[in-house]
Every structure is written in structure tokens, then in C-alpha cells.
Amino acid sequence: QEGTPALAAALLAAGYTVLAETNGSLPIARFPRGVRRIVDLKPPSSGETARIHWENVAELCPETDEVKCVLADRADYEWARDTLERHDLARRCVAVLFAPVQGRLDAAVLAGWILEERLPVRLNLQLHKILWPDRERGV
């Protein structure tokens, strides 16, 4: 949303903790430092990989920002693992999150791959999909 960076700045100035999750297609530099930015990197199965604003990687703050990849299959996992390594994401941000697409990739399988390769990432579950599986969007 166009006014989100200004709102985030006002909330920071008022003493609030601010988190902004983005789909990764727009510059995160629009947000003031201090906002915890969660940048979604869309893997191949999403059909959105070409829309990633890769310049965001250089903008990541290692004290506050996170990168998230929602993965549907082994090919997505390998893409995310290679992206993690190629862009040194574990050093560039406070956390890298790998999440399984609910109903397409079993969380235990993804956890196994992460452990097997000892990746410096966190397993992240999409709680909204677990709690409200019938809803396309939240209310």
C-alpha cells in the first residue's frame, strides 16, 4: 500500500515495534530503518520468481530483517538453498525462514532436508493455513 512506509515511520516515532511483510517485488528501501522487514522470495512453483526485486538483498539489515521462502516441492527447496548460498542471506539478515506450502509439501519432509544439509534457516509454518484451512484470505 502506498502509505505504508509513512505509517511505519509514524508508528516507529511513537515508540511502536513495526514489522512489514512484503512479497519482495517492490523496494524495501522505502521503509525507514528500524522497521523489521520480512521479504518473501518467491520460488519457481509460485510463478512469481521473475517479479523479485533482487536489489532488496543489498538493502537487508542483519539486525532486523528476515527473508522468507514458501516452498512447494524439492525443486523449490533447491532453488531456496542455492539462493541462500549465492546471496549469503544468513549473514545479511537476522533470520531466513523456509515454510512448506500447506497441502503440497509436508513440514516434516522439509525439516528433514534442512537438517540433512545443516542449513542456517528456521522452519516456519503458515499458521493461518493450519488454523483456517478453508479460507483463501484472512478476515
Side-chain angles (χ1 to χ4, degrees):
Q1 301 294 329
E2 190 63 36
T4 304
L7 173 61
L11 291 169
L12 278 176
Y16 289 94
T17 299
V18 180
L19 288 87
E21 186 165 345
T22 170
N23 71 2
S25 66
L26 297 172
I28 62 171
R30 303 175 337 151
F31 289 98
R33 290 288 178 194
V35 171
R36 186 175 198 129
R37 302 168 300 186
I38 305 164
V39 180
D40 201 350
L41 297 181
K42 305 286 189 180
S45 73
S46 72
E48 300 291 322
T49 306
R51 295 186 62 212
I52 295 172
H53 187 77
W54 288 106
E55 291 82 357
N56 284 337
V57 171
E59 292 291 329
L60 292 169
C61 178
E63 290 83 29
T64 56
D65 296 336
E66 299 178 12
V67 168
K68 180 179 73 165
C69 299
V70 181
L71 312 172
D73 53 31
R74 180 68 190 204
D76 279 359
Y77 168 80
E78 291 173 1
W79 176 89
R81 179 200 61 212
D82 294 348
T83 300
L84 170 78
E85 293 171 3
R86 183 178 323 108
H87 295 282
D88 197 16
L89 293 176
R91 185 186 59 79
R92 292 181 176 272
C93 56
V94 71
V96 178
L97 312 170
F98 281 11
V101 172
Q102 187 72 18
R104 293 202 42 204
L105 177 58
D106 185 84
V109 170
L110 177 56
W113 295 339
I114 292 168
L115 291 171
E116 181 180 310
E117 297 195 45
R118 298 179 179 263
L119 295 185
V121 302
R122 294 183 191 163
L123 178 66
N124 185 52
L125 301 180
Q126 295 181 295
L127 290 179
H128 63 289
K129 300 281 186 165
I130 295 168
L131 297 174
W132 301 288
D134 304 350
R135 295 197 186 147
E136 191 69 25
R137 295 182 65 92
V139 277

